[in-house]
Amino acid sequence: MEEFFASLYEWFGLNPLYSTDMGDQLRGWDITCTDYIGTPWYVIIGWIMIATTAFFYTLQYHIIDSSRWKNKTHWWIFALIIVLANFLVAFLIPYNSIQAGDYCNQLNITISDCVGFGLSNAVWSFILFAVITTIPVFRRFSNNCRHTTFWKP
């Protein structure tokens, strides 16, 4: 699972958003700089991203499911909330790790790396939300929002 999330967040080897040192930290490079036995942040943050996106999808399409919240504009509001929440999760976890000094001192990790990883997580959460809400199978159990996607009301 770690390799799946690592390849996803590193954009399948392109990784334009943050340094390889940040990638090593997120893979679980331990504080003693010896092996990948530390906390696997890619996996944890990846599952948080999936859970957050699924929660807000469920909230919009199955819990609120109101005729007032079925427009394309409301879809974009939920998408913005999802993107912001997932950006904050992916930014704050590594940032707090940097501030606390809980990483290998041989790694050069900066705040811009945290921002880049946050952006990567935000983009993947948006893509996941767009895919989930585009597939009709998931939406058909909604009464009012079953036709609501990002491209049509």
Side-chain angles (χ1 to χ4, degrees):
M1 193 53 78
E2 183 176 335
E3 286 304 315
F4 169 74
F5 284 117
S7 66
L8 194 72
Y9 286 124
E10 292 174 358
W11 296 91
F12 306 103
L14 298 176
N15 197 11
L17 299 175
Y18 54 90
S19 69
T20 56
D21 286 347
M22 178 67 150
D24 287 337
Q25 169 67 16
L26 295 169
R27 283 180 192 268
W29 192 248
D30 69 333
I31 196 165
T32 62
C33 307
T34 56
D35 199 5
Y36 292 99
I37 56 174
T39 306
W41 287 115
Y42 272 140
V43 176
I44 294 169
I45 293 172
W47 282 113
I48 290 172
M49 184 259 305
I50 290 171
T52 304
T53 305
F55 170 76
F56 281 106
Y57 160 78
T58 304
L59 184 66
Q60 180 181 12
Y61 282 82
H62 302 291
I63 295 174
I64 295 176
D65 195 17
S66 169
S67 59
R68 292 183 62 197
W69 287 85
K70 68 176 187 174
N71 298 337
K72 176 175 50 173
T73 305
H74 299 116
W75 185 94
W76 283 101
I77 290 170
F78 272 88
L80 179 64
I81 292 168
I82 289 168
V83 165
L84 286 174
N86 283 304
F87 172 81
L88 286 174
V89 166
F91 171 79
L92 288 175
I93 289 174
Y95 179 76
N96 289 336
S97 181
I98 289 172
Q99 296 302 314
D102 294 336
Y103 67 98
C104 172
N105 60 3
Q106 294 174 357
L107 298 177
N108 184 18
I109 301 173
T110 63
I111 294 175
S112 64
D113 290 330
C114 298
V115 171
F117 181 61
L119 288 173
S120 182
N121 195 43
V123 169
W124 280 114
S125 67
F126 179 80
I127 291 169
L128 179 63
F129 186 62
V131 167
I132 290 172
T133 58
T134 301
I135 298 172
V137 172
F138 298 123
R139 293 179 291 137
R140 77 170 179 208
F141 299 109
S142 175
N143 293 328
N144 295 304
C145 297
R146 69 177 161 259
H147 299 295
T148 303
T149 63
F150 69 96
W151 50 275
K152 71 175 185 175

